[in-house]
Amino acid sequence: MLLGVNVDHVATVREARKEAEPDPLRAAELAIRGGADGITVHLREDRRHIQDRDLIAIRRKVKKVELNLEMAATDEMVRIALKIKPDMVTLVPEKRAELTTEGGLDLRRGRIKLQKAVAALRGKGIPVSLFINPALTDIKISAALGADMVEIHTGLYANARGAQKTAELHRVKKAVMRGHENDLGVNAGHGLNYTNVKKIAAIKGIRGLYIGHSIIAHSLYIGIEKAVSTMKSIVESSSR
Ligand code: PXP
């Protein structure tokens, strides 16, 4: 199971002062040293954290592990992705006022835009993943839209308590199975931390986990390399 580390928060701290530090590229390099199998950046329309120059610098240096570009399915972002050529793109919904991505894509409403973006990216050889809620119909629509992969939104599982948490975990498991039945690569992410990741990593057939906040938060105490290696060993031991 791959561990993709999202370094957006490093840029968030830098943008708080508009200084040169901390540098998301340096963080990405240290995350890779700690065992990250991939680096994720989300280039937002409002450029609130990652800037275009970060994406260019990270693409230039991150070659041995997967660079995953999270983005909205807009013409501007598709143009940038085709130029930068990340190893994969994850299409996400984007709202200006949100603190973080709040849920999976609305595949019905966004169908035409998504289909266009998927075709343009895949046409140039960039694999595309769709960030979706763990709903079985969304898996089917993702396959119909021509996506290579989906990323199952684990936020509801992460936030739920008690019996509801068990129910949400079950929804994620069913979505993973349905993804495979539809020949999709299945990833998962959002809200995963050093504790709740264990049950998700234990689900068979998940290709990769995409984690940001908990790793970057932990890295303030113990450094990013160690924060990543700790998460990596939890994922490895839970997925065995
Ligand atoms: N996957 C997607 C599609 C996301 O938008 C995010 C947040 O940027 C993550 C995973 C990582 O979520 P978190 O920061 O809660 O680990």
Side-chain angles (χ1 to χ4, degrees):
M1 197 175 287
L2 307 176
L3 172 62
V5 176
N6 182 315
V7 295
D8 293 350
H9 279 3
V10 177
T12 301
V13 174
R14 181 195 60 199
E15 293 304 306
R17 284 291 182 93
K18 302 278 180 202
E19 298 279 355
E21 285 188 322
D23 177 10
L25 169 59
R26 180 102 197 270
E29 289 173 331
L30 291 169
I32 293 165
R33 255 208 252 165
D37 303 295
I39 297 297
T40 296
V41 292
H42 184 174
L43 186 67
R44 279 183 169 268
E45 194 189 6
D46 62 10
R47 308 300 198 270
R48 70 170 76 154
H49 39 57
I50 293 292
Q51 305 296 309
D52 298 61
R53 66 175 190 281
D54 295 320
L55 180 58
I56 293 167
I58 290 174
R59 172 69 297 180
R60 203 171 284 146
K61 290 281 171 97
V62 173
K63 296 285 184 195
K64 293 198 177 118
V65 304
E66 169 191 280
L67 174 60
N68 173 32
L69 173 60
E70 272 181 28
M71 56 179 236
T74 63
D75 290 345
E76 183 205 12
M77 288 300 153
V78 169
R79 230 180 3 257
I80 292 171
L82 293 179
K83 205 161 126 204
I84 300 291
K85 299 189 174 64
D87 300 303
M88 64 182 275
V89 161
T90 300
L91 295 175
V92 297
E94 211 173 278
K95 294 190 209 113
R96 275 189 179 247
E98 69 191 358
L99 292 178
T100 180
T101 317
E102 283 169 352
L105 290 159
D106 183 339
L107 299 179
R108 285 194 179 82
R109 264 226 211 133
R111 192 170 189 130
I112 291 170
K113 260 172 50 178
L114 289 165
Q115 203 157 23
K116 196 173 144 206
V118 170
L121 294 163
R122 293 195 75 239
K124 295 288 179 192
I126 302 172
V128 181
S129 178
L130 301 179
F131 185 52
I132 60 168
N133 295 315
L136 301 183
T137 47
D138 284 4
I139 300 276
K140 254 184 107 170
I141 302 174
S142 299
L145 286 171
D148 302 275
M149 291 171 271
V150 289
E151 180 180 332
I152 308 289
H153 183 37
T154 49
L156 286 175
Y157 155 76
N159 292 331
R161 298 280 168 270
Q164 192 56 34
K165 202 170 194 74
T166 310
E168 290 298 341
L169 182 65
H170 189 63
R171 279 182 80 205
V172 174
K173 282 184 186 166
K174 275 176 64 181
V176 173
M177 273 168 49
R178 186 59 61 91
H180 286 289
E181 285 162 17
N182 282 272
D183 293 324
L184 291 162
V186 185
N187 302 309
H190 213 281
L192 297 178
N193 60 34
Y194 291 82
T195 307
N196 68 20
V197 74
K198 293 175 188 168
K199 287 198 167 141
I200 296 292
I203 300 172
K204 297 288 169 230
I206 294 184
R207 174 187 167 277
L209 298 179
Y210 291 84
I211 307 179
H213 184 87
S214 64
I215 292 177
I216 301 302
H218 206 49
S219 75
L220 292 176
Y221 310 128
I222 64 167
I224 189 160
E225 199 176 325
K226 188 87 199 304
V228 172
S229 64
T230 305
M231 181 62 85
K232 175 101 176 167
S233 63
I234 293 172
V235 169
E236 276 175 354
S237 60
S238 308
S239 61
R240 239 173 243 141

Coordinates of all heavy atoms in Angstrom, one line a residue, residues 144-198:
A144 N -17.6 5.1 -15.7 CA -18.2 5.6 -16.9 C -17.5 6.8 -17.4 O -17.5 7.1 -18.6 CB -19.7 5.8 -16.7
L145 N -17.0 7.6 -16.5 CA -16.3 8.9 -16.9 C -14.9 8.6 -17.4 O -14.3 9.5 -17.9 CB -16.2 9.8 -15.7 CG -17.5 10.5 -15.2 CD1 -17.3 11.2 -13.9 CD2 -18.0 11.5 -16.3
G146 N -14.5 7.4 -17.3 CA -13.2 7.1 -17.9 C -12.0 7.2 -17.0 O -10.8 7.2 -17.4
A147 N -12.3 7.3 -15.7 CA -11.2 7.5 -14.7 C -10.4 6.2 -14.6 O -10.9 5.1 -14.8 CB -11.7 7.9 -13.3
D148 N -9.1 6.4 -14.2 CA -8.2 5.2 -14.0 C -8.4 4.7 -12.6 O -8.3 3.5 -12.3 CB -6.8 5.6 -14.2 CG -6.5 6.1 -15.5 OD1 -6.2 5.3 -16.4 OD2 -6.5 7.3 -15.7
M149 N -8.6 5.7 -11.7 CA -8.7 5.4 -10.2 C -9.7 6.3 -9.6 O -10.2 7.3 -10.1 CB -7.3 5.8 -9.6 CG -6.2 4.9 -10.0 SD -4.6 5.7 -9.4 CE -4.2 6.7 -10.7
V150 N -10.1 5.9 -8.3 CA -10.9 6.7 -7.5 C -10.1 6.9 -6.2 O -9.3 6.0 -5.8 CB -12.3 6.2 -7.2 CG1 -13.2 6.3 -8.4 CG2 -12.2 4.8 -6.7
E151 N -10.3 8.0 -5.5 CA -9.9 8.1 -4.1 C -11.1 8.2 -3.2 O -11.9 9.1 -3.4 CB -9.0 9.3 -3.9 CG -8.5 9.4 -2.4 CD -7.6 10.7 -2.2 OE1 -6.9 11.1 -3.1 OE2 -7.6 11.1 -1.0
I152 N -11.3 7.2 -2.4 CA -12.5 7.2 -1.5 C -12.3 8.2 -0.3 O -11.3 8.1 0.4 CB -12.7 5.8 -0.9 CG1 -12.7 4.7 -2.0 CG2 -14.0 5.7 0.0 CD1 -13.9 4.7 -2.9
H153 N -13.2 9.1 -0.2 CA -13.2 10.1 0.9 C -13.4 9.4 2.3 O -14.5 8.8 2.5 CB -14.3 11.1 0.6 CG -14.3 12.2 1.6 ND1 -13.2 12.8 2.1 CD2 -15.4 12.9 2.1 CE1 -13.6 13.8 2.9 NE2 -14.9 13.9 2.9
T154 N -12.4 9.4 3.1 CA -12.5 8.8 4.4 C -12.9 9.7 5.5 O -12.8 9.4 6.7 CB -11.2 8.0 4.8 OG1 -10.1 9.0 4.6 CG2 -11.0 6.8 3.9
G155 N -13.2 11.0 5.2 CA -13.5 12.0 6.2 C -14.7 11.6 7.1 O -14.6 11.9 8.3
L156 N -15.8 11.0 6.6 CA -16.9 10.7 7.4 C -16.5 9.6 8.4 O -16.9 9.6 9.6 CB -18.1 10.3 6.5 CG -18.8 11.4 5.8 CD1 -19.9 10.8 4.9 CD2 -19.4 12.4 6.8
Y157 N -15.8 8.6 7.9 CA -15.2 7.6 8.8 C -14.4 8.2 9.9 O -14.6 7.9 11.1 CB -14.4 6.5 8.0 CG -13.4 5.8 8.8 CD1 -13.8 4.8 9.7 CD2 -12.1 6.1 8.8 CE1 -12.9 4.1 10.5 CE2 -11.1 5.5 9.6 CZ -11.5 4.5 10.4 OH -10.6 3.8 11.2
A158 N -13.5 9.1 9.5 CA -12.6 9.7 10.5 C -13.3 10.5 11.6 O -12.9 10.5 12.7 CB -11.6 10.6 9.7
N159 N -14.4 11.2 11.2 CA -15.1 12.0 12.1 C -16.2 11.3 13.0 O -16.6 11.8 14.0 CB -15.8 13.2 11.4 CG -14.8 14.2 10.9 OD1 -13.7 14.3 11.4 ND2 -15.1 14.8 9.8
A160 N -16.6 10.1 12.5 CA -17.7 9.4 13.2 C -17.2 8.7 14.5 O -16.0 8.6 14.7 CB -18.2 8.3 12.2
R161 N -18.2 8.5 15.3 CA -17.9 7.8 16.6 C -18.8 6.6 16.8 O -19.9 6.5 16.2 CB -18.2 8.8 17.8 CG -17.4 10.0 17.8 CD -16.0 9.8 18.4 NE -15.1 10.9 18.2 CZ -14.3 11.0 17.2 NH1 -14.3 10.2 16.2 NH2 -13.5 12.1 17.1
G162 N -18.3 5.6 17.6 CA -19.2 4.5 18.0 C -19.7 3.7 16.8 O -18.9 3.4 15.9
A163 N -21.0 3.3 16.8 CA -21.5 2.5 15.8 C -21.5 3.1 14.4 O -21.3 2.4 13.4 CB -23.0 2.1 16.2
Q164 N -21.6 4.4 14.5 CA -21.5 5.2 13.2 C -20.1 5.0 12.5 O -20.1 4.9 11.3 CB -21.8 6.6 13.4 CG -22.1 7.5 12.2 CD -23.2 6.9 11.3 OE1 -24.2 6.4 11.9 NE2 -23.1 7.0 10.0
K165 N -19.1 4.9 13.3 CA -17.8 4.7 12.8 C -17.6 3.3 12.1 O -17.1 3.2 11.0 CB -16.7 4.8 13.9 CG -15.3 5.2 13.4 CD -14.4 5.5 14.5 CE -13.1 6.2 14.0 NZ -13.3 7.6 13.6
T166 N -18.2 2.3 12.7 CA -18.2 1.0 12.1 C -19.0 1.0 10.8 O -18.6 0.4 9.8 CB -18.9 0.0 13.1 OG1 -18.3 0.2 14.4 CG2 -18.7 -1.5 12.7
A167 N -20.1 1.7 10.8 CA -20.9 1.8 9.6 C -20.2 2.5 8.5 O -20.2 2.0 7.3 CB -22.2 2.5 9.9
E168 N -19.5 3.5 8.8 CA -18.7 4.3 7.8 C -17.5 3.4 7.3 O -17.2 3.5 6.1 CB -18.2 5.6 8.3 CG -19.3 6.6 8.6 CD -20.0 7.1 7.3 OE1 -19.5 6.9 6.2 OE2 -21.1 7.6 7.5
L169 N -16.9 2.7 8.1 CA -15.8 1.8 7.7 C -16.3 0.7 6.7 O -15.7 0.5 5.7 CB -15.2 1.1 9.0 CG -14.0 0.2 8.7 CD1 -12.8 1.0 8.1 CD2 -13.6 -0.6 9.9
H170 N -17.5 0.2 7.0 CA -18.1 -0.7 6.2 C -18.4 -0.1 4.8 O -18.2 -0.8 3.8 CB -19.4 -1.2 6.8 CG -20.0 -2.4 6.1 ND1 -19.4 -3.6 6.0 CD2 -21.2 -2.6 5.5 CE1 -20.1 -4.4 5.3 NE2 -21.3 -3.8 5.0
R171 N -18.9 1.1 4.8 CA -19.1 1.8 3.5 C -17.9 1.9 2.7 O -17.9 1.7 1.4 CB -19.7 3.2 3.7 CG -21.1 3.3 4.1 CD -21.6 4.7 4.2 NE -21.8 5.4 3.0 CZ -21.7 6.7 2.8 NH1 -21.4 7.5 3.8 NH2 -21.9 7.3 1.6
V172 N -16.8 2.2 3.4 CA -15.5 2.4 2.6 C -15.1 1.0 2.1 O -14.7 0.9 0.9 CB -14.4 2.9 3.6 CG1 -13.0 2.9 2.9 CG2 -14.7 4.3 4.1
K173 N -15.2 0.0 2.9 CA -14.9 -1.4 2.4 C -15.7 -1.8 1.2 O -15.1 -2.3 0.2 CB -15.1 -2.4 3.5 CG -14.1 -2.4 4.6 CD -14.4 -3.6 5.6 CE -13.4 -3.5 6.8 NZ -13.8 -4.3 7.9
K174 N -17.0 -1.5 1.2 CA -17.8 -1.9 0.1 C -17.4 -1.1 -1.2 O -17.4 -1.6 -2.3 CB -19.3 -1.7 0.4 CG -19.9 -2.9 1.2 CD -21.3 -2.7 1.6 CE -22.3 -2.5 0.6 NZ -23.7 -2.3 1.1
A175 N -17.1 0.2 -0.9 CA -16.7 1.0 -2.1 C -15.4 0.5 -2.7 O -15.2 0.5 -3.9 CB -16.5 2.5 -1.6
V176 N -14.5 0.0 -1.9 CA -13.2 -0.5 -2.4 C -13.5 -1.8 -3.3 O -13.0 -1.9 -4.4 CB -12.2 -0.9 -1.2 CG1 -11.0 -1.6 -1.8 CG2 -11.8 0.3 -0.4
M177 N -14.4 -2.6 -2.7 CA -14.7 -3.8 -3.5 C -15.4 -3.5 -4.8 O -15.0 -4.0 -5.9 CB -15.7 -4.7 -2.7 CG -15.0 -5.7 -1.8 SD -16.0 -6.5 -0.6 CE -17.4 -7.0 -1.6
R178 N -16.3 -2.5 -4.8 CA -17.0 -2.1 -6.0 C -16.1 -1.5 -7.0 O -16.2 -1.7 -8.2 CB -18.2 -1.2 -5.6 CG -19.1 -0.8 -6.8 CD -19.8 -1.9 -7.4 NE -20.7 -2.7 -6.6 CZ -21.9 -2.5 -6.4 NH1 -22.5 -1.5 -7.0 NH2 -22.7 -3.2 -5.6
G179 N -15.1 -0.8 -6.5 CA -14.1 -0.2 -7.3 C -13.3 -1.2 -8.1 O -13.1 -1.1 -9.3
H180 N -12.9 -2.3 -7.4 CA -12.2 -3.4 -8.1 C -13.1 -4.1 -9.2 O -12.7 -4.4 -10.3 CB -11.7 -4.4 -7.1 CG -10.5 -3.9 -6.4 ND1 -9.3 -3.7 -7.0 CD2 -10.4 -3.4 -5.1 CE1 -8.5 -3.2 -6.1 NE2 -9.1 -3.0 -5.0
E181 N -14.4 -4.2 -8.8 CA -15.3 -4.9 -9.8 C -15.5 -4.0 -11.0 O -15.8 -4.5 -12.1 CB -16.7 -5.0 -9.1 CG -16.8 -6.1 -8.1 CD -18.0 -6.0 -7.2 OE1 -19.0 -5.2 -7.5 OE2 -18.0 -6.6 -6.1
N182 N -15.2 -2.7 -10.9 CA -15.3 -1.8 -12.0 C -13.9 -1.5 -12.6 O -13.7 -0.5 -13.4 CB -16.0 -0.5 -11.6 CG -17.5 -0.7 -11.6 OD1 -18.2 -0.5 -12.5 ND2 -18.0 -1.0 -10.4
D183 N -12.9 -2.3 -12.3 CA -11.5 -2.2 -12.8 C -10.9 -0.9 -12.5 O -10.1 -0.4 -13.3 CB -11.5 -2.5 -14.3 CG -11.8 -3.9 -14.6 OD1 -11.4 -4.8 -13.8 OD2 -12.5 -4.2 -15.7
L184 N -11.2 -0.3 -11.4 CA -10.6 1.0 -11.0 C -9.5 0.7 -10.0 O -9.7 -0.1 -9.1 CB -11.7 1.9 -10.4 CG -12.7 2.5 -11.4 CD1 -13.9 3.0 -10.6 CD2 -12.2 3.5 -12.3
G185 N -8.5 1.5 -10.0 CA -7.5 1.5 -8.9 C -8.2 2.3 -7.8 O -8.9 3.2 -8.0
V186 N -8.0 1.8 -6.5 CA -8.8 2.4 -5.4 C -7.8 3.0 -4.4 O -7.0 2.2 -3.8 CB -9.8 1.4 -4.8 CG1 -10.6 2.2 -3.7 CG2 -10.7 0.8 -5.8
N187 N -7.9 4.3 -4.2 CA -7.1 4.9 -3.2 C -8.0 5.4 -2.1 O -9.3 5.3 -2.2 CB -6.4 6.1 -3.8 CG -5.4 5.7 -4.9 OD1 -4.6 4.8 -4.7 ND2 -5.6 6.4 -6.0
A188 N -7.5 5.9 -1.0 CA -8.3 6.4 0.1 C -7.6 7.6 0.8 O -6.4 7.6 0.8 CB -8.7 5.3 1.1
G189 N -8.4 8.5 1.3 CA -7.7 9.6 2.1 C -8.7 10.6 2.6 O -9.9 10.6 2.2
H190 N -8.2 11.4 3.5 CA -8.8 12.6 4.1 C -9.1 12.2 5.6 O -9.8 11.3 5.8 CB -10.1 13.1 3.4 CG -10.2 14.6 3.6 ND1 -10.7 15.1 4.8 CD2 -9.9 15.6 2.8 CE1 -10.6 16.5 4.7 NE2 -10.1 16.8 3.5
G191 N -8.6 13.0 6.5 CA -8.9 12.9 7.9 C -8.2 11.7 8.6 O -8.5 11.4 9.7
L192 N -7.2 11.0 7.8 CA -6.6 9.9 8.4 C -5.5 10.3 9.4 O -4.7 11.2 9.0 CB -6.1 8.9 7.3 CG -7.1 8.3 6.4 CD1 -6.5 7.5 5.3 CD2 -8.2 7.5 7.2
N193 N -5.4 9.7 10.5 CA -4.3 10.0 11.5 C -3.6 8.7 11.9 O -3.9 7.6 11.4 CB -4.8 10.8 12.6 CG -5.9 10.1 13.4 OD1 -5.9 8.9 13.6 ND2 -6.9 10.9 13.9
Y194 N -2.7 8.8 12.9 CA -1.9 7.7 13.3 C -2.7 6.6 14.0 O -2.3 5.5 14.2 CB -0.8 8.2 14.3 CG 0.2 9.0 13.5 CD1 0.0 10.4 13.3 CD2 1.4 8.4 13.1 CE1 1.0 11.1 12.6 CE2 2.3 9.2 12.3 CZ 2.1 10.5 12.1 OH 3.0 11.3 11.4
T195 N -4.0 6.9 14.4 CA -4.8 5.9 15.0 C -5.8 5.3 14.0 O -5.9 4.1 13.8 CB -5.5 6.5 16.2 OG1 -4.6 7.1 17.1 CG2 -6.3 5.5 17.0
N196 N -6.6 6.2 13.4 CA -7.7 5.8 12.6 C -7.3 5.2 11.3 O -8.1 4.5 10.6 CB -8.8 6.8 12.4 CG -8.3 8.0 11.6 OD1 -7.3 7.9 10.8 ND2 -9.0 9.2 11.7
V197 N -6.0 5.4 10.9 CA -5.5 4.8 9.7 C -5.4 3.3 9.7 O -5.5 2.6 8.7 CB -4.1 5.4 9.3 CG1 -3.0 4.8 10.2 CG2 -3.7 5.2 7.9
K198 N -5.3 2.7 10.9 CA -5.1 1.3 11.0 C -6.2 0.5 10.3 O -5.9 -0.5 9.6 CB -4.9 0.9 12.5 CG -3.6 1.5 13.1 CD -3.6 1.2 14.6 CE -2.4 2.0 15.1 NZ -2.4 2.0 16.6

